[in-house]
């Protein structure tokens, strides 16, 4: 007679092992289905890096504006402090003169009580009490009034200096924040570039057509010869082909975009301001169709980039950390208008 045995039930330990095995299989299947994202192509990296460079340049121009404001405030504070120092010296001389008058009165028989008050430990409080002026001689009245006026002027100058010092502290904080934003964008861009192989980076540089100091890569700039101070500015900038782009740099060995244009015009004997937004208001605005070599060319709707028109549809500009100072077609960068200095 056949034996009928009940199938052996799996133990708890066996169930645990089977469950773990099944879970591992599911995890492996899931990992296979969700493969690691593909490495970005050279063109994708270039597009992302270019976008980061633009964001960094916007922050750079804001930092340049903060730096310009900081320099202006420091100059104003220095002038105010000089005025206060000179004014305090004049005030001391006035008080000494009034003290001499009091001494003369003492030698001649006594000092007017109002003069005694004036020369006391707290003469400033006394000076506010104009009612006593009728006790003084005409000469003394004039001296006291001059001292009062000088004190008011000094108080106002000190208040102005204090306000400027606060503005300076705020501007320095803003400048620090803008610089940090620039460095963060540039670091992110460099991280992306580091994902490229050496061959890919070489190909990217070749496509960019980076200019060099010798001018061997100089493009066809047409037949229009630059002249005057615009021509002199362009000629100066051309000597910097291949120079590095560094945020905030003003030359002579490295530049950012507005730093190059400011430096170039300075070599031509013309002073212009530091940022793209202020340079856009320096001279006469002209349409792109009327550009002449040496004119400033402003790019993008927010005007965060500037270069020098070089002729034949080309600009000479401090492009970005990868390209440095080079020639480039203005059509690559959304030109807005030109400015003739």
């Amino acid at each position: 007679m056949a034996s009928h045995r009940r199938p052996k039930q799996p133990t708890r330990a066996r169930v645990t092992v089977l469950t773990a095995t099944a879970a591992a299989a599911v995890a492996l299947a899931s990992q296979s289905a969700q493969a690691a994202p593909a490495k970005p192509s050279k063109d994708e990296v270039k597009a992302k890096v270019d976008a980061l460079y633009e964001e960094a340049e916007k922050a750079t121009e804001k930092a340049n504006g903060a730096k310009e404001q900081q320099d202006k405030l420091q100059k104003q504070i220095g002038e105010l402090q000089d005025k206060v120092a000179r004014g305090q010296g004049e005030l001391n001389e006035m008080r000494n003169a009034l003290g001499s008058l009091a001494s003369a009165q003492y030698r001649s028989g006594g000092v007017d009580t109002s003069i005694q008050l004036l020369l006391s430990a707290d003469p400033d409080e006394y000076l506010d009490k104009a009612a006593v002026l009728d006790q003084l001689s005409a000469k003394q009245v004039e001296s006291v009034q001059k001292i009062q006026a000088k004190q008011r002027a000094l108080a106002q100058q000190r208040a102005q200096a204090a306000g400027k010092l606060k503005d300076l502290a705020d501007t320095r904080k803003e400048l620090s924040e803008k610089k940090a934003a620039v460095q963060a964008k540039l670091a992110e861009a460099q991280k992306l570039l580091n994902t490229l192989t050496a061959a890919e980076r070489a190909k990217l540089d070749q496509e960019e057509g980076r200019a060099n100091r010798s001018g061997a890569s100089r493009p066809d700039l047409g037949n229009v010869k630059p002249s005057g101070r615009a021509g002199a500015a362009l000629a100066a900038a051309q000597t910097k082909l291949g120079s590095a782009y560094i945020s905030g740099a003003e030359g002579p060995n490295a530049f950012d975009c507005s730093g190059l244009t400011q430096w170039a015009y300075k070599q031509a004997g013309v002073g212009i301001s530091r940022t793209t937004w202020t340079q856009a208001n320096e001279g006469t605005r002209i349409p792109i169709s009327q550009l002449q070599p040496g004119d400033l060319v402003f790019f993008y709707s927010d005007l965060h980039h500037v270069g020098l028109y070089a002729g034949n549809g080309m600009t000479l500009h401090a492009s970005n950390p990868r390209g440095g100072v080079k020639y480039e077609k203005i059509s690559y960068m959304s030109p807005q208008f030109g400015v003739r200095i």
Side-chain angles (χ1 to χ4, degrees):
M1 189 173 181
S3 173
H4 297 281
R5 294 182 180 179
R6 178 178 295 180
K8 187 176 181 179
Q9 297 295 322
T11 64
R12 178 176 298 178
R14 188 181 180 196
V15 169
T16 301
V17 170
L18 290 172
T19 302
T21 302
V26 170
L28 287 172
S30 176
Q31 289 177 2
S32 298
Q34 298 178 356
K39 175 187 171 184
S41 69
K42 172 178 66 64
D43 291 339
E44 289 172 335
V45 168
K46 180 182 182 303
K48 291 178 181 178
V49 167
D50 286 346
L52 286 167
Y53 280 160
E54 272 201 52
E55 292 175 19
E57 190 164 49
K58 292 177 186 178
T60 292
E61 289 304 308
K62 290 178 181 178
N64 290 339
K67 176 66 166 57
E68 191 172 44
Q69 178 66 10
Q70 174 182 276
D71 293 343
K72 185 184 297 184
L73 285 169
Q74 286 176 326
K75 182 179 179 181
Q76 292 173 347
I77 289 169
E79 291 172 350
L80 282 169
Q81 289 175 336
D82 286 345
K83 284 183 180 179
V84 168
R86 289 195 302 269
Q88 187 63 54
E90 293 170 0
L91 180 60
N92 292 340
E93 289 178 3
M94 291 178 182
R95 283 175 168 167
N96 289 338
L98 197 58
S100 297
L101 179 60
S103 297
Q105 287 182 335
Y106 178 79
R107 288 192 299 270
S108 63
V111 180
D112 189 290
T113 56
S114 58
I115 296 295
Q116 293 177 10
L117 279 172
L118 186 61
L119 299 176
S120 67
D122 190 7
D124 291 345
E125 180 179 355
Y126 166 77
L127 287 172
D128 292 332
K129 299 177 181 179
V132 301
L133 292 179
D134 58 358
Q135 303 174 25
L136 306 177
S137 68
K139 186 174 182 179
Q140 291 168 338
V141 167
E142 183 181 0
S143 296
V144 170
Q145 289 174 337
K146 285 182 178 179
I147 291 175
Q148 287 177 317
K150 180 59 67 175
Q151 284 180 316
R152 286 193 295 268
L154 280 174
Q156 184 178 11
Q157 288 166 357
R158 287 191 178 104
Q160 288 176 343
K164 297 290 184 185
L165 285 168
K166 182 181 182 304
D167 292 342
L168 180 59
D170 293 341
T171 301
R172 282 176 172 163
K173 180 181 177 182
E174 179 187 0
L175 178 58
S176 177
E177 291 170 351
K178 300 302 182 189
K179 284 183 175 180
V182 171
Q183 293 307 314
K185 297 297 181 184
L186 294 180
E188 188 177 352
Q190 188 59 51
K191 185 177 179 181
L192 278 170
L193 288 172
N194 290 342
T195 66
L196 298 177
T197 65
E200 287 173 328
R201 294 191 69 168
K203 180 66 174 175
L204 187 60
D205 287 342
Q206 183 181 4
E207 291 172 355
E208 293 262 317
R210 181 183 297 183
N212 55 46
R213 285 186 182 277
S214 67
S217 58
R218 177 169 173 153
D220 178 10
L221 301 179
N223 298 321
V224 179
K225 301 299 181 184
S227 61
R229 54 191 183 183
L234 178 59
Q238 287 170 332
T239 68
K240 297 302 176 180
L241 278 167
S243 295
Y245 177 105
I246 296 179
S247 174
E250 302 173 344
N253 300 316
F255 305 87
D256 60 24
C257 69
S258 56
L260 175 65
T261 51
Q262 184 188 53
W263 179 88
Y265 266 93
K266 184 178 181 180
Q267 309 317 300
V270 181
I272 61 176
S273 56
R274 181 62 180 88
T275 73
T276 58
W277 301 299
T278 52
Q279 288 181 10
N281 297 312
E282 291 283 351
T284 303
R285 290 194 181 189
I286 53 177
I288 296 299
S289 61
Q290 295 179 17
L291 286 171
Q292 295 290 324
D295 289 339
L296 300 179
V297 193
F298 293 86
F299 299 93
Y300 307 109
S301 59
D302 63 353
L303 310 181
H304 70 264
H305 189 70
V306 63
L308 290 157
Y309 186 66
N312 199 28
M314 304 292 294
T315 184
L316 175 58
H317 66 141
S319 58
N320 55 49
R322 192 174 67 252
V325 178
K326 66 176 185 176
Y327 292 108
E328 195 160 11
K329 289 184 178 180
I330 64 173
S331 58
Y332 290 172
M333 297 177 289
S334 303
Q336 301 297 305
F337 56 82
V339 165
R340 186 158 296 156
I341 302 298

